[in-house]
């Protein structure tokens, strides 16, 4: 049987993985990086990526891949930078970097599945990148739209599945008390199914 999984590095095609480190960001108890990304991508692509406490995470010349958790085991790729300078700062932004332009089309659009089972936020790419499976390549930069409103629900199966995975509670609240008629159309053969729901 053919393995249909597309790994993150199938897209990126980075050969020297020993020189690459991946930053995995998630809710820190105050801010959720996925919300910050939508308001100001530079916050997560600089401050969250290059923040240092005591331990140094990067060296000059290394490549830094920034991923932020959307929900559960799903992460969004937001930037890839080459570290150009260390600032020798603790509890602050400790590095400067330049974005690698060849990866620009993927920023904010690639969702990957990865089960993180270690405490550190930065890890060598060679250790984990082959466990990162591309779950979706978005047509545009990620936006957290939640339930779009009753008159805007016109989704493909994969879009509906993704919406329910990411915003299940919002969709349940919006639809649980509605009486409605719905239509499902098979795009391949043109057949339609009309159904109704009381809740």
């Amino acid at each position: 049987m053919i393995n249909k999984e597309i790994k993150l590095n199938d897209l990126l095609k980075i050969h020297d993985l020993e020189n690459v480190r991946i930053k995995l960001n998630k809710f820190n108890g105050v801010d959720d990086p996925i919300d910050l990304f939508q308001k100001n991508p530079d916050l997560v692509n600089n401050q969250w990526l290059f923040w240092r406490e005591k331990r140094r995470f990067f060296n000059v010349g290394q490549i830094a891949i920034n991923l932020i958790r959307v929900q559960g085991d799903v992460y969004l790729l937001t930037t890839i930078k080459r570290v150009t300078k260390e600032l020798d700062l603790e509890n602050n932004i400790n590095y400067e970097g330049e974005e690698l332009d060849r990866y620009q089309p993927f920023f904010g659009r690639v969702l990957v599945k990865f089960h993180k089972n270690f405490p550190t936020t930065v890890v060598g790419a060679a250790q984990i990148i082959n466990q990162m499976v591309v779950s979706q390549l978005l047509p545009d930069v990620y936006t957290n739209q939640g339930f779009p409103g009753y008159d805007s629900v016109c989704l493909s199966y994969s879009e509906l599945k993704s919406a329910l995975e990411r915003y299940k509670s919002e969709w349940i609240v919006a639809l649980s008390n509605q009486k409605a008629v719905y239509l499902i159309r098979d795009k391949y053969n043109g057949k339609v199914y009309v159904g109704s729901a009381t809740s």
Side-chain angles (χ1 to χ4, degrees), residues 178-190:
Q178 297 302 312
K179 295 176 176 63
V181 174
Y182 60 89
L183 180 140
I184 299 172
R185 181 172 62 88
D186 187 327
K187 293 196 293 187
Y188 296 101
N189 62 25

Side-chain angles (χ1 to χ4, degrees), residues 93-113:
I93 301 171
N94 186 50
Y95 308 93
E96 292 178 1
E98 57 185 24
E99 231 166 34
L100 300 181
D101 291 338
R102 67 183 177 273
Y103 300 118
Q104 182 69 41
F106 298 132
F107 298 160
R109 295 181 55 206
V110 176
L111 291 169
V112 298
K113 280 193 176 179

Side-chain angles (χ1 to χ4, degrees), residues 133-165:
V133 176
V134 175
S135 62
Q136 196 172 1
L137 180 58
L138 302 172
D140 206 343
V141 173
Y142 175 89
T143 56
N144 182 355
Q145 296 175 337
F147 184 74
Y150 300 108
D151 58 348
S152 299
V153 180
C154 182
L155 304 174
S156 70
Y157 174 77
S158 61
E159 289 170 333
L160 178 60
K161 184 171 183 269
S162 176
L164 289 176
E165 285 173 355

Side-chain angles (χ1 to χ4, degrees), residues 171-182 196-199:
W171 280 70
I172 288 174
V173 168
L175 296 175
S176 62
N177 296 313
Q178 297 302 312
K179 295 176 176 63
V181 174
Y182 60 89
S196 64
T198 56
S199 63

Side-chain angles (χ1 to χ4, degrees), residues 34-85:
I34 195 66
D35 294 333
L36 296 177
F37 174 75
Q38 293 172 95
K39 296 173 187 171
N40 184 358
D42 284 341
L43 276 177
V44 293
N45 291 337
N46 288 307
Q47 183 172 329
W48 282 63
L49 174 59
F50 287 146
W51 189 268
R52 174 193 169 196
E53 292 177 357
K54 289 188 177 180
R55 182 179 173 189
R56 284 183 169 84
F57 288 125
F58 303 104
N59 293 314
V60 172
Q62 286 184 321
I63 293 173
I65 297 176
N66 200 43
L67 296 170
I68 56 177
R69 189 164 77 171
V70 175
Q71 180 179 320
D73 290 339
V74 178
Y75 290 81
L76 179 70
L77 172 68
T78 64
T79 192
I80 301 176
K81 295 186 175 186
R82 186 177 301 280
V83 180
T84 57
K85 186 176 182 180

